Amino acid sequence: RRALAQDVVIGGTICGSGDLGAQLILSEASKKEVESSVDVRRFVAMGTYGATAAVPYHLWYVFLARRFPTATYLKTALECLVVLPLFEIPAVVLWTGFFGRNQTLGAAVAQLRADFWTAWGYGLAVWGPASVAIFARVPYRWHVTSFYSIGALWDFGISYIAFDRSEAAHVKSDHAA
């Protein structure tokens, strides 16, 4: 139970930090005032997503460690070809859409459809090599922590895809109208 609680705290902290980093770096790049560019609702949505998702991830990595203790490439394939497209991408885009952008379920699903392939391509680039390294070298007790640590990079990118890229497309389409 303590390990699960630790994973929840780490997951929420790292997901929130990844989003905050994306907001601050992108606001600096666009020359916005940093104080006015931090979207607290978005930050909280990413942090609560990380904390909530840590529970199924904790159980998933325990299952993988028990069922396939030395099958690095099988676990990597499951991570990239099952978990990423069927859980992680839909969950984070729908969660952040609903809680972070105040979207309706229909609007969040439309955003998922629009961003899915970009998110999956980015996810494969991050999680393929990271999964091989973690499953091959890190004791299973530290899998969630290790994945969430690499996840700061993932969260930065997925936060950009879920929020900033989408907002830029909406602004561009609003100006065209």
Side-chain angles (χ1 to χ4, degrees), residues 55-123:
V55 175
Y57 276 125
H58 175 88
L59 299 172
W60 173 247
Y61 294 126
V62 168
F63 166 77
L64 288 179
R66 289 181 180 158
R67 182 69 179 94
F68 311 108
T70 60
T72 296
Y73 295 107
L74 174 61
K75 291 188 281 190
T76 298
L78 290 170
E79 189 74 17
C80 292
L81 302 176
V82 176
V83 173
L84 185 61
L86 300 179
F87 173 72
E88 176 67 14
I89 294 168
V92 75
V93 172
L94 295 174
W95 184 281
T96 57
F98 190 74
F99 294 110
R101 296 173 63 84
N102 203 26
Q103 292 177 324
T104 64
L105 181 58
V109 169
Q111 183 177 347
L112 174 61
R113 287 185 182 129
D115 292 339
F116 179 82
W117 295 108
T118 301
W120 196 19
Y122 172 66

Side-chain angles (χ1 to χ4, degrees), residues 6-7 9 25 27 34 51 68 96 102 116 120 131 138 156 167 177:
Q6 179 182 345
D7 288 342
V9 170
I25 289 169
S27 69
V34 173
F68 311 108
T96 57
N102 203 26
F116 179 82
W120 196 19
S131 295
V138 176
F156 178 90
E167 287 173 7

